[in-house]
């Protein structure tokens, strides 16, 4: 199955929010500069970072559903990120209602997977975990689209706030003024732009993506379930 697309019936496919943003939005200047500096090694380094991010995301999901994790099953740098997530939980006591929730909205024509939905101080938060070195505007646009999908399907319980839990932040500890959720090297970053404006921004990107991909198709590879020589 093509991970860029989601389906309800195996016939009609919907592009993921991240695919639309990745294909239809200019890359951040910092990211472009990084790719140029790495040159021929950029693809390999990017793939390694993606693999690391997936391992951390899976571990966080396991923690949320109550599993116990052991440090010796992870690389040290992976364990650092996982511990920062645990510190966020101990500090702010989120009450999780969903993790790794797949959403498909045929009316909006998009799909995606939400990292986590949780209540913090009686507010419903939609939070996406980012393990890279930066948080970019496109990350907030992604959350704006996710919130739109959730709110469309759950008008009785809309998301109150959205944020990126950045586990590679430059913060040195908790915010002494109590204005932001943060700790040593982690922070929940909120967008300056409203969720409504972020959704409008995403719609602009999607219009361009639709124009460039008028007859998109998911790549489906058929392989046998068993093999014997």
């Amino acid at each position: 199955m093509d991970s860029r697309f989601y389906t309800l019936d195996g016939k009609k496919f919907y592009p993921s929010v991240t695919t639309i943003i990745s294909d239809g939005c200019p890359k951040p200047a910092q990211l472009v500069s990084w790719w140029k500096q790495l040159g021929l090694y950029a693809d390999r380094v990017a793939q390694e970072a993606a693999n690391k991010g997936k391992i951390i995301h899976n571990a966080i999901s396991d923690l949320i559903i109550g599993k116990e994790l052991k440090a010796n099953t992870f690389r040290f740098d992976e364990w650092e990120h996982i511990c920062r997530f645990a510190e966020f939980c101990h500090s702010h006591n989120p009450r999780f209602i969903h993790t790794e929730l797949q959403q498909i909205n045929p009316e909006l024509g998009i799909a995606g997977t939400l990292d986590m939905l949780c209540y913090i101080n009686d507010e419903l938060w939609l939070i996406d975990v980012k393990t890279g070195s930066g948080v970019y505007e496109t990350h907030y646009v992604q959350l704006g689209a996710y919130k739109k999908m959730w709110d469309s399907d759950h008008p009785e319980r809309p998301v109150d706030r959205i944020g990126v839990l950045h586990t590679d932040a430059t913060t040195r500890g908790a915010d002494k003024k109590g204005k932001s959720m943060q700790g040593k090297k982690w922070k929940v970053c909120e967008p300056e732009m409203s969720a409504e404006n972020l959704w409008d921004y995403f719609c602009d990107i999607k219009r361009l993506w639709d124009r460039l991909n008028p007859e998109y198709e998911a790549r489906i590879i058929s392989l046998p379930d068993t093999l014997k020589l």
Side-chain angles (χ1 to χ4, degrees):
M1 187 70 70
D2 193 333
S3 62
R4 300 174 304 156
F5 298 90
Y6 293 64
T7 182
L8 290 168
D9 57 9
K11 299 177 181 178
K12 175 64 178 177
F13 290 83
Y14 302 93
S16 71
V17 166
T18 52
T19 292
I20 292 170
I21 293 175
S22 177
D23 291 349
C25 190
K27 300 295 185 291
Q30 305 98 307
L31 191 58
V32 173
S33 176
W34 176 80
W35 277 81
K36 288 181 178 179
Q37 291 174 7
L38 289 176
L40 296 175
Y41 297 98
D43 287 340
R44 187 173 70 182
V45 173
Q47 186 59 55
E48 290 175 354
N51 292 340
K52 173 183 173 181
K54 185 174 182 179
I55 290 171
I56 295 168
H57 274 78
N58 289 341
I60 287 173
S61 183
D62 285 344
L63 281 176
I64 290 174
I65 63 176
K67 292 185 178 180
E68 182 181 41
L69 304 182
K70 295 183 179 181
N72 61 6
T73 59
F74 298 92
R75 294 188 334 196
F76 181 78
D77 58 335
E78 295 165 351
W79 190 244
E80 283 185 302
H81 288 265
I82 298 166
C83 288
R84 290 167 195 162
F85 170 76
E87 184 182 330
F88 155 71
C89 293
H90 293 316
S91 300
H92 298 281
N93 300 311
R95 179 164 60 87
F96 296 101
I97 61 172
H98 287 294
T99 178
E100 296 297 319
L101 176 66
Q102 289 191 357
Q103 287 199 132
I104 300 175
N105 192 304
E107 184 178 345
L108 299 174
I110 56 176
T113 301
L114 282 59
D115 280 357
M116 63 187 76
L117 274 163
C118 60
Y119 280 101
I120 302 176
N121 297 328
D122 296 324
E123 291 182 306
L124 183 57
W125 279 80
L126 170 56
I127 297 177
D128 202 64
V129 178
K130 298 299 182 186
T131 60
S133 59
V135 176
Y136 304 112
E137 196 69 29
T138 50
H139 295 154
Y140 298 129
V141 174
Q142 175 187 343
L143 282 170
Y146 286 171
K147 172 175 164 55
K148 182 68 174 181
M149 280 195 290
W150 171 268
D151 291 353
S152 297
D153 291 338
H154 304 86
E156 78 291 348
R157 188 173 55 173
V159 166
D160 296 306
R161 298 172 72 172
I162 59 176
V164 172
L165 175 54
H166 187 205
T167 58
D168 194 24
T170 58
T171 50
R172 297 182 179 180
D175 181 2
K176 295 180 180 179
K177 296 182 179 179
K179 293 183 178 180
S180 63
M181 290 188 287
Q182 66 180 60
K184 187 176 182 180
K185 299 214 71 178
W186 65 266
K187 181 178 182 180
V188 177
C189 306
E190 294 186 74
E192 295 181 1
M193 193 181 299
S194 70
E196 291 77 11
N197 287 340
L198 289 169
W199 169 247
D200 289 341
Y201 190 179
F202 174 79
C203 288
D204 290 338
I205 300 170
K206 188 174 185 300
R207 277 190 286 271
L208 175 59
W209 190 90
D210 289 338
R211 185 181 181 90
L212 296 175
N213 301 273
E215 298 180 359
Y216 65 84
E217 291 184 3
R219 292 194 300 267
I220 307 300
I221 300 175
S222 179
L223 296 174
D225 293 332
T226 60
L227 290 172
K228 185 178 180 180
L229 298 180

